[in-house]
Each structure stands twice: as C-alpha cells, then as structure tokens.
Amino acid sequence: MGELVAQLRAALPVDAASLAALPEDDLLALVQTAEALGRVVDGARVLVAGEVAERSRPALGPERMDARRGCRSPGEVLERAGLISCQTARGRMRAASAMRATWSLSGEMLPGGFPILRRAVEDGRVSVDAAVAIVGELGPVVDRDVASDAIGVAEAELVGAAAGGTGAPAASADEVRVMAQAWALFLDPDGAAPDAAPADRRRGLTIGRVRDGLVSVQAGLLPEVAAQLRRVLDAYAGSPVGPTFVEAAEEGLDGIAADVDHRSPAQRRHDSFAGILTVAAGHAAAPQIGGAAPTLVVTVSADELAREGGAAFVSGDEGEIPVATAVARHAGCAGAVQRVVFDQAGRIIEIGVPQRIFGAHQRRAIAARDGECIIPGCHVAAAWCEVHHVSAHARGGPTHTDNGVLLCWRHHSTIETGGWQIEMREGVPWVRAPGWIDAHRSWRPVQGTIRHRLARMRA
C-alpha cells in the first residue's frame, strides 16, 4: 500500500511550489484528475463501509464482524480501521445502504436497489455526492412500490447525467439532485409530495449565546416562510453595487461609476435582516410590550460615550452584553432603539425620548426628498432606511427635516467609521466619499431620485 501511495503522490504535484508554478490550464486539468481519482477512492470507501455493515448485521448474532472484532458497532470497526470519525463512518454506511447487494434466503446474491448506480460508483464515474442525491430522492419512490422498470429508467438517466458522456458534460451533484427530484415527482406525483406534518413539527428558530462577539442563530423555516424572508432580504438589500467617483466628463452628469460591494452574501443578508428588524419593531402594527413597541434599550455612561473605544451595553437573555459606543450613538436616531445615559454615580442624565425620533410626517417628507439611502450607489429603498441626525441630537442637533437624511442600516451603523461625511446645505444633503473612493474628496449634492435626474436633464 505504501508503494501505491508513493506513486499517487508522484503523479499529483500538489506541493505548494509545484502548484504555484502550474499554468492555469494545467491547474484545471489537475483539479479534474484529482477529482477523478477521488471518485474512485470515495466509491471504494463507501462500498467497503457498506460491506462492513452487511457483515455486522444483527441477524448474524455472535458471528457478526463487529462482535468478533470486539467493537460495539460496524461504525466503530470503520473508525478504528480507517482512523476516521464516527460521523464519517455513519455517513458512508448510509450512502452504501441503498446500493448494497443483498442475499436471498437460499444464499443467492441480489443486485440491490440501485445496481446501475453501484457500478458507476465502483468505476469512479459518479461521485458519492451525486449518488447520495440520487438515492435520497429516488429511495422513497422505491419504498412505495413504483414500477421497477420506470425506476430503472430514471436511475439510468440520472447516472448518465452525473457521469457525462455522449457529448454532454457531467452534471454537478446539486444539478443531479434537482433532476432526481423531478423524476421522483414524475414517477409518484402523489406519494412524492412533501408531508407537511413532520416539517411543521420540526420548524423553529433558536438564538444562541454570545461567543467571540457574535450570537449564532439556527433556524428550520417552512418553505413559504423562507421564501418570504428571501424576498424581503432581496428587497432591502437593493443593488449589490457600491460607489466609486470618477471624472464627471467621462461618466456622465453625476460623476459616479459602479464598484463592487465587498460584503459577502452572508454579510449582506445580515445587514438586511438588521434593517428589517428595526423597521418591523417600529411599525404601527407590531405587537406591543408593556404598552409600547418592542424597544431595544442601550445603556451607556457619559464618560464611555465620550471615550474613543468606549463600551455600551444592550439587554439580552444573558444580562447586559457589551457593545461599541457607536451602537449607542446609532441608537440616538433609530426609532426601535432607546438610549439611556448614566453619570458616574449611576444617575440617569439622558433618556432617548420619542421627541428625538423623527415623526411620521417628517419621515415621509425626508423620504420624498432623498428617495433612498443617500450614500451614492446604495439603492436601499426609503421604506427600509433609518433617519439619521446629521448634527447629533446630543450636540444640539434638531429633529427637523433640515437635519435628517435617509441611511440604510449598514451605512447608518458605520457612518462614524466608514469615511463618509454628510452635511446639510439649505436643507439639501451633500455627501463626501472617503479618500479610497474619491481621491479629490469633493462634496456632492444628493441627487439619487428620478425627480433630481429629470430636473438636471431639463436644465
């Protein structure tokens, strides 16, 4: 075995220096070679795991393989022989169970549920991921006694798609899963329909504890709830494009060109979800707690609020959770968040009262003026934006339309650190981009609405 491993290593130059020197085409060819070899190895892993499970079936009594080897289960045999985890061992046995050959009462070998798929896995033509996708979707159809000929046709078609050939490229495991779902619905349209009762029982959402400054959220959403959440997130997120300023003569009247938003999709969904929660908590139809809208309370001392890098606190199930003072300053503008400031003795010296929050009439007027988040290139609609005090309320800034602008949750929460600057000139917001976006750092009026653009075109 050692000689075989040495030959394999010689055939695959996967050390850092060799990989760095490979031309791009050769690198892609190496990816394909490694995956082809991996399919053969993975197929062998799954099939031998299935054979160990077969030889350890309870019907064999004390003669079963795991008992004779002093192990409590076939999984433990695989763990010890293969030096793998119990999760990996169980996964391989599950993958092999539907493809494993069986034996009749007379001792004759039977082909098993998916003989075509098994041969393709043995040959390394189909990956284990694709095999699991096929078995996962067609397995329930087999259990419902659908005509075996029809299942054989579906199996052959899916294996052909996963393996490729005849001029067609091989399909990925995810594509094969979709094809298998379509075959399952075609073969058994009544029985293949999802049973809503188990899903309804398993639905849920769990909020974890703070770890390394983050709180994990695990959820099992019903399909219609997940679909609705995706639509709302997409609506909030707006365009995935951020701003870059160039010379106006080259790029049109606004002097703005598009640049890629460097947030990951997961980060964009997080920021969208944060904005949605803020809007939902302040909505008139939201359920009330103690006669008021559900309000997040942020507490901070006056000294900490003034200190660079100070700490504020939000209330949670685990007590007070420390956050940056920027969160407290952000709370001064958000209607679903209330800020409470203490002096050194613990006396309350400032309470975020409703008067500091922009009213409904003011918000509608500001929305009509700004149209969307005022940061150029950010197209979060007004309905999902927060109203920001340009001159902070704590420093005497009024809660007036001449001092309020629309910002999405992300730009509002990072306005102190993101490099963007805002000022009001005769009731009109002007913005200045950070130096890495606009080297000239020019002030520009906010003109993101159709009304603004039409007026400029007419002029």
Side-chain angles (χ1 to χ4, degrees):
M1 184 176 66
E3 182 180 351
L4 180 61
V5 172
Q7 292 175 351
L8 182 60
R9 286 177 176 170
L12 292 176
V14 292
D15 59 280
S18 298
L19 288 176
L22 280 178
E24 191 170 286
D25 289 342
D26 292 345
L27 178 60
L28 292 176
L30 183 59
V31 169
Q32 294 172 335
T33 300
E35 287 301 323
L37 292 173
R39 285 194 293 273
V40 175
V41 173
D42 287 343
R45 285 169 165 170
V46 166
L47 295 174
V48 298
E51 184 62 25
V52 169
E54 175 65 21
R55 297 187 186 191
S56 301
R57 63 189 189 277
L60 297 176
E63 293 301 314
R64 66 187 191 273
M65 182 177 179
D66 55 351
R68 289 188 293 104
R69 296 290 175 169
C71 296
R72 64 184 182 277
S73 67
E76 185 180 353
V77 176
L78 293 170
E79 292 172 46
R80 295 186 181 278
L83 304 179
I84 58 177
S85 68
C86 60
Q87 291 89 347
T88 300
R90 286 197 296 265
R92 290 176 183 173
M93 289 189 293
R94 282 196 302 270
S97 61
M99 296 182 288
R100 189 169 60 238
T102 58
W103 301 86
S104 68
L105 294 176
S106 61
E108 180 184 1
M109 179 183 285
L110 301 176
F114 295 94
I116 302 174
L117 180 60
R118 179 188 172 96
R119 288 195 296 272
V121 172
E122 289 174 350
D123 298 340
R125 292 183 293 117
V126 171
S127 69
V128 172
D129 289 341
V132 169
I134 293 172
V135 171
E137 300 300 333
L138 290 189
V141 179
V142 174
D143 294 338
R144 285 191 285 271
D145 296 326
V146 175
S148 59
D149 290 345
I151 293 176
V153 171
E155 180 189 4
E157 290 288 335
L158 292 170
V159 168
T166 64
S172 69
D174 289 335
E175 292 171 329
V176 171
R177 187 182 303 278
V178 174
M179 296 177 192
Q181 289 172 346
W183 270 106
L185 288 169
F186 172 74
L187 295 172
D188 189 17
D190 295 327
D195 184 0
D200 191 64
R201 290 193 298 268
R202 294 197 306 271
R203 77 192 191 281
L205 188 148
T206 303
I207 301 176
R209 294 180 175 274
V210 179
R211 292 182 182 275
D212 299 326
L214 294 173
V215 177
S216 64
V217 177
Q218 293 181 320
L221 303 179
L222 295 174
E224 65 273 19
V225 177
Q228 186 178 23
L229 177 60
R230 286 194 187 97
R231 289 186 65 84
V232 176
L233 289 174
D234 291 343
Y236 181 93
S239 170
V241 174
T244 292
F245 290 100
V246 297
E247 292 300 326
E250 298 178 4
E251 294 292 334
L253 295 174
D254 291 336
I256 300 175
D259 190 15
V260 177
D261 186 338
H262 295 291
R263 291 177 296 167
S264 69
Q267 290 170 331
R268 287 177 57 80
R269 287 192 293 270
H270 170 277
D271 296 349
S272 299
F273 193 54
I276 291 166
L277 291 177
T278 300
V279 173
H283 196 274
Q288 294 188 339
I289 300 177
T295 304
L296 175 67
V297 177
V298 181
T299 59
V300 64
S301 70
D303 291 343
E304 291 291 324
L305 188 60
R307 181 180 294 117
E308 187 72 24
F313 298 87
V314 297
S315 301
D317 292 339
E318 305 167 51
E320 292 191 321
I321 303 171
V323 295
T325 49
V327 175
R329 285 188 281 271
H330 179 195
C333 299
V337 185
Q338 184 177 32
R339 185 174 74 186
V340 180
V341 182
F342 298 89
D343 64 13
Q344 290 183 337
R347 179 188 177 191
I348 297 172
I349 59 175
E350 180 186 336
I351 302 175
V353 294
Q355 285 73 19
R356 69 178 301 157
I357 306 301
F358 287 89
H361 296 297
Q362 292 173 309
R363 181 182 176 88
R364 282 193 289 269
I366 293 171
R369 182 194 65 202
D370 297 346
E372 58 189 13
C373 177
I374 67 165
I375 300 300
C378 181
H379 302 296
V380 174
W384 299 108
C385 287
E386 301 171 358
V387 182
H388 167 65
H389 286 80
V390 176
S391 177
H393 187 276
R395 295 194 296 269
T399 303
H400 188 279
T401 53
D402 283 352
N403 191 44
V405 296
L406 293 183
L407 290 177
C408 69
W409 181 89
R410 176 173 71 102
H411 285 120
H412 197 182
S413 62
T414 60
I415 194 64
E416 295 184 5
T417 58
W420 289 94
Q421 292 180 287
I422 305 170
E423 69 177 31
M424 302 298 292
R425 299 183 183 181
E426 298 181 350
V428 176
W430 287 60
V431 296
R432 183 161 69 171
W436 64 272
I437 291 179
D438 179 13
H440 301 294
R441 302 225 62 203
S442 303
W443 284 98
R444 302 170 187 272
V446 173
Q447 297 184 338
T449 66
I450 296 177
R451 174 174 51 80
H452 287 132
R453 295 181 184 277
L454 178 61
R456 293 191 65 178
M457 285 187 291
R458 292 191 187 284

